[in-house]
Amino acid sequence: MAGSRERTAEPPQDGENQGRGRTARRFAMDVTPLRIPAFRRLWSSTVVTSVGSQLTAVAVPLQIYEQTRSSAWVGISGAVALVPLVIFALWGGAIADMMDRRRLLLLSNAGIAVTSLLFWAQAAAGAESVWVLLVLLGFQQAFFGVNSPTRTASVARLVPALQLPAATALTSTVAQLGMIAGPMLGGALIPVLGLESLYLLDTLALCLALAAVWRLPALPPQSGVVRRAGLRDVLDGFRYLATRRLLLVSFLADVIAMVLGMPRALFPQMAAVDFGGGADGGGIALGLLYAAIPAGAVLCGLLSGTFARLRRHGAVVVIAVLVWGLAIAGFGLAGSLWVAVLMLTFAGAADMVSMVFRGTILQQAASDEMRGRLQGVFTVVVAGGPRLADLVHGTAGAAVGSRVTVVGGGLLVVVAMLGLAVAVPAFWRYRVGGA
């Protein structure tokens, strides 16, 4: 009898465990796309390079400052990086629509690896030329401008349409994680191994990524026509975007959120003046402010099972941008550092949700022959929006004060996003599979 009681008691326990497992899976990141070998290889290459690229992103400004002792030169390096990134993201997106994307990924990944190796060589040789650094940085960003839209445009060829939100969440999460782990790892390694070690580690990571990309299947144009991309093809991408309201609104949503509501240019002032950093330039307060948004994005990505299966993609983007704006306004009103960090963490989580579904809308609503070009425009928006925000917020902060600028910017995000949603109601109604 005891044995029979034990046997009858076991199924409910298994059912309870399965129920708990299903609940956990609903909240945790959906890793279903990783079951697809080709996407898993592409994603694994992104994991490796996300951290490695941030090592170089730390090393280059540091080396420039050590050579020049001038923050102005560090600022100039930002402009030097942005110009080739914009040009080659647009052109690279067009190329990605005209040739085998796997081959283009191999070429651009190899180019980035070579520039990282040259960064290491000049650092190891003790070179003292800031112009060498700027030239290498320009070449590196040019190759990255080609690589980024090609990599993103390849995802829709590797996973089913219904898995695109989960695939985008996986990719976006590791990118945000790299923004946190890379600088922390770089800061820890420089005193131990030296600055040049960061370049060498990035080179090794890129070689590993190159091996993963090598194993991808061929991704030729679906039209079967391979040809060179020219200026007309780049302009065709803009003309295509202008006729697709849903895509245009998704881009405008990001512009609204970033240009009006990204206050990072004011972080040093607020850390020092508003949150007790004092004369040391903000100290730990500044680090927490910079880390809060990517940390919120990573946490949200790890729990992306809570939203990745939603079908109302347009509505989710609108709500996420509204939450971003309100959280930024809350940050501006925060009376303590920890409330400020919490508000920025909420903002980062909202930005991750918006990023996932804007990326998904782009993958689904764009035809494959235009997907690379639109991803190029997307890269420009993502890279250029925060830099334009630095100019807007820095200027406004000096004129009217940091808190007024931050709160006003957050509220302007809410007003502008509501106005955009009212002006284009089809975007609010857009769901996976059609408008």
Side-chain angles (χ1 to χ4, degrees):
M1 293 295 292
S4 65
R5 282 196 299 270
E6 289 175 3
R7 283 192 296 271
T8 57
E10 286 174 359
Q13 292 174 0
D14 291 342
E16 291 173 4
N17 290 335
Q18 292 172 1
R20 284 194 293 268
R22 284 193 295 269
T23 300
R25 285 193 295 272
R26 277 199 300 271
F27 287 93
M29 176 182 287
D30 183 0
V31 297
T32 304
L34 294 179
R35 297 174 185 171
I36 302 170
F39 175 75
R40 186 167 63 247
R41 290 166 189 147
L42 183 66
W43 181 80
S44 65
S45 71
T46 305
V47 173
V48 174
T49 55
S50 291
V51 175
S53 63
Q54 289 299 314
L55 296 179
T56 296
V58 169
V60 172
L62 176 59
Q63 190 176 1
I64 289 175
Y65 184 76
E66 287 182 346
Q67 289 184 6
T68 64
R69 293 297 170 183
S70 169
S71 294
W73 276 106
V74 177
I76 290 171
S77 73
V80 169
L82 180 60
V83 172
L85 175 62
V86 169
I87 294 172
F88 283 89
L90 296 175
W91 187 41
I95 298 173
D97 290 334
M98 306 299 168
M99 67 177 288
D100 187 327
R101 287 173 185 162
R102 172 185 173 273
R103 183 183 176 194
L104 189 55
L105 283 172
L106 287 171
L107 292 172
S108 55
N109 261 97
I112 300 172
V114 169
T115 54
S116 291
L117 185 62
L118 291 174
F119 271 125
W120 170 79
Q122 61 82 33
E128 293 289 336
S129 173
V130 68
W131 293 106
V132 170
L133 286 170
L134 293 178
V135 169
L136 288 176
L137 180 62
F139 275 106
Q140 182 199 55
Q141 291 302 298
F143 283 118
F144 178 79
V146 174
N147 184 270
S148 182
T150 307
R151 178 180 295 271
T152 311
S154 301
V155 174
R157 296 278 294 275
L158 301 178
V159 301
L162 290 179
Q163 292 184 22
L164 279 174
T168 305
L170 283 163
T171 304
S172 300
T173 300
V174 297
Q176 293 291 328
L177 186 60
M179 292 178 65
I180 300 173
M184 291 177 62
L185 183 61
L189 289 176
I190 287 174
V192 179
L193 301 178
L195 183 145
E196 64 271 13
S197 67
L198 302 191
Y199 296 129
L200 187 58
L201 287 174
D202 188 20
T203 303
L204 295 174
L206 286 162
C207 289
L208 292 174
L210 199 61
V213 172
W214 181 268
R215 300 181 63 196
L216 290 176
L219 296 169
Q222 290 185 329
S223 64
V225 178
V226 177
R227 60 182 179 85
R228 291 186 177 182
L231 179 59
R232 178 178 295 180
D233 298 302
V234 175
L235 296 177
D236 283 345
F238 284 102
R239 283 191 284 267
Y240 181 87
L241 177 61
T243 63
R244 300 299 191 277
R245 286 193 306 165
L246 294 177
L247 290 173
L248 193 58
V249 172
S250 72
F251 279 93
L252 290 175
D254 188 53
V255 171
I256 287 170
M258 290 298 104
V259 175
L260 298 179
M262 172 55 85
R264 68 181 185 183
L266 299 174
F267 285 174
Q269 177 183 344
M270 297 183 74
V273 176
D274 298 308
F275 300 120
D280 67 349
I284 187 63
L286 181 60
L288 288 172
L289 294 183
Y290 274 119
I293 290 178
V298 169
L299 290 173
C300 183
L302 295 175
L303 298 174
S304 57
T306 57
F307 61 84
R309 298 177 182 86
L310 297 174
R311 300 294 185 90
R312 293 286 302 276
H313 292 182
V316 174
V317 170
V318 172
I319 293 171
V321 173
L322 294 177
V323 172
W324 163 273
L326 292 173
I328 293 299
F331 162 64
L333 294 171
S336 72
L337 174 62
W338 297 112
V339 174
V341 169
L342 182 62
M343 289 296 101
L344 289 177
T345 303
F346 280 135
D351 187 48
M352 170 60 79
V353 175
S354 171
M355 187 187 314
V356 167
F357 286 101
R358 283 185 292 105
T360 302
I361 290 171
L362 178 55
Q363 295 276 9
Q364 291 176 331
S367 60
D368 187 70
E369 61 268 19
M370 286 289 177
R371 195 170 284 135
R373 275 166 279 193
L374 295 183
Q375 289 293 347
V377 178
F378 184 81
T379 300
V380 171
V381 170
V382 170
R387 287 170 172 82
L388 182 56
D390 289 345
L391 175 62
V392 171
H393 283 75
T395 304
V400 301
S402 58
R403 287 191 179 274
V404 173
T405 299
V406 174
V407 174
L411 296 179
L412 280 175
V413 169
V414 173
V415 172
M417 192 65 237
L418 286 174
L420 188 60
V422 171
V424 190
F427 186 78
W428 173 265
R429 296 193 298 268
Y430 176 79
R431 65 176 64 239
V432 63

